[in-house]
Amino acid sequence: MEKSLISYHDIDISLPSQTFNVAFSYTTKETLDFIDSMVLRLLVIAPMSAETIAKFLELSNHETDVLLTSLLHREQIQYLEDGSFSLTKQLEKAFSNICAIPYVNKIEDSIQKMSFEMIGLNPEPVNQNSQDNGQNSIKLEALKEYLSNSESLVYKEFQKNFRFYSNQGLIKLNLAENEDEKKVQLYKMSQVEKLRDHYRRFQLSLTLDRNLNPTDLSEFNHLENVDKIENALY
């Protein structure tokens, strides 16, 4: 089919774009330290006193106090009225059974650079060396409200499309080996900071079919939000 097309002109189209620092946090799963997991495995069986835990694990009173204080601070165990310790409700969910490897939620902070064209708010891989000013191209125009409110717009887009950006490799997450990326959740958006303006350039090949009718452009088909770009173009 493509061999029957007649190419008659190539033009460059530039989309106004901006690069941002995006600060956010997300939850992952992490395994517990060995000694922590041993204490928690004991508490899966039943609530226990500090003395009983120390006896089972052959720890000194000081070592036991330090260990239990750390687990209390992380809200993984709780102190009961009778003086014993038990798992919190959150930690109970980490154990499918006493022999299972316990996992707990861990919050990771991240700041990453992202670029968006400002007509359809489509993201793109960041090219640190890109200094394209749109010269010798047809420059499409973005809405003034998009340009002036770009940080808040990108903030909302990131919240909505966090998983898509991760799947596309546009953001990099610090995951443990064999961790299921589908279970990672966006925890909090902190800040979106605009860094600079630039242009995203596309080379369009204008072609005719065998009946000399103009063919549809395909260069934007890989973008998620293409309608607004096509409207700006035509």
Side-chain angles (χ1 to χ4, degrees):
M1 179 68 179
E2 291 184 358
K3 292 183 179 179
S4 64
L5 298 180
I6 303 170
S7 178
Y8 66 91
H9 195 48
D10 289 336
I11 59 173
D12 281 2
I13 299 291
S14 291
L15 310 185
S17 303
Q18 295 179 359
T19 298
F20 304 84
N21 265 343
V22 181
F24 62 98
S25 55
Y26 57 97
T27 59
T28 65
K29 299 288 186 182
E30 69 170 348
T31 56
L32 296 168
D33 292 339
F34 174 76
I35 190 63
D36 290 352
S37 67
M38 291 303 296
V39 172
L40 299 177
R41 288 178 197 278
L42 289 175
L43 298 182
V44 170
I45 302 172
M48 295 184 183
S49 65
E51 292 77 12
T52 303
I53 293 172
K55 183 177 180 180
F56 266 109
L57 300 180
E58 298 182 351
L59 300 174
S60 68
N61 290 337
H62 175 70
E63 290 171 329
T64 305
D65 287 342
V66 171
L67 183 56
L68 294 177
T69 299
S70 175
L71 293 172
L72 283 168
H73 179 71
R74 284 179 276 159
E75 299 183 351
Q76 294 172 353
I77 64 172
Q78 57 190 347
Y79 185 73
L80 303 179
E81 291 182 357
D82 64 1
S84 62
F85 296 88
S86 71
L87 297 180
T88 60
K89 294 296 183 182
Q90 180 181 0
L91 256 291
E92 287 178 357
K93 298 177 182 178
F95 289 86
S96 57
N97 59 67
I98 192 173
C99 297
I101 299 174
Y103 291 88
V104 294
N105 284 334
K106 177 183 178 183
I107 298 175
E108 293 273 2
D109 294 319
S110 181
I111 299 178
Q112 300 194 27
K113 284 184 172 61
M114 293 191 70
S115 287
F116 290 80
E117 56 81 15
M118 299 310 300
I119 296 177
L121 292 179
N122 290 287
E124 61 177 323
V126 174
N127 182 354
Q128 302 289 358
N129 298 318
S130 176
Q131 300 294 331
D132 197 332
N133 61 7
Q135 187 174 358
N136 299 323
S137 70
I138 298 175
K139 298 179 182 179
L140 301 189
E141 294 186 2
L143 295 174
K144 291 182 179 179
E145 62 187 82
Y146 271 41
L147 297 175
S148 60
N149 298 301
S150 59
E151 292 179 343
S152 61
L153 290 171
V154 169
Y155 188 105
K156 294 176 182 177
E157 285 294 307
F158 191 94
Q159 281 185 310
K160 182 173 65 177
N161 298 305
F162 168 76
R163 193 172 303 284
F164 172 75
Y165 296 159
S166 174
N167 292 339
Q168 295 297 310
L170 294 167
I171 55 175
K172 303 296 183 183
L173 305 180
N174 182 27
L175 303 182
E177 187 176 356
N178 298 324
E179 183 171 355
D180 187 355
E181 190 170 315
K182 294 181 180 178
K183 295 183 179 179
V184 175
Q185 299 290 331
L186 178 65
Y187 179 72
K188 183 178 68 173
M189 288 291 297
S190 299
Q191 184 183 23
V192 174
E193 178 189 12
K194 176 188 167 184
L195 299 178
R196 62 188 176 90
D197 292 286
H198 57 97
Y199 280 89
R200 182 176 181 181
R201 184 181 295 259
F202 292 83
Q203 186 176 72
L204 308 187
S205 296
L206 305 183
T207 58
L208 304 174
D209 62 19
R210 65 180 64 186
N211 297 318
L212 301 183
N213 296 315
T215 60
D216 292 334
L217 297 172
S218 61
E219 284 81 0
F220 300 121
N221 288 353
H222 65 288
L223 302 179
E224 287 294 307
N225 305 315
V226 68
D227 292 345
K228 292 180 179 178
I229 295 175
E230 291 181 341
N231 289 338
L233 181 61
Y234 297 118

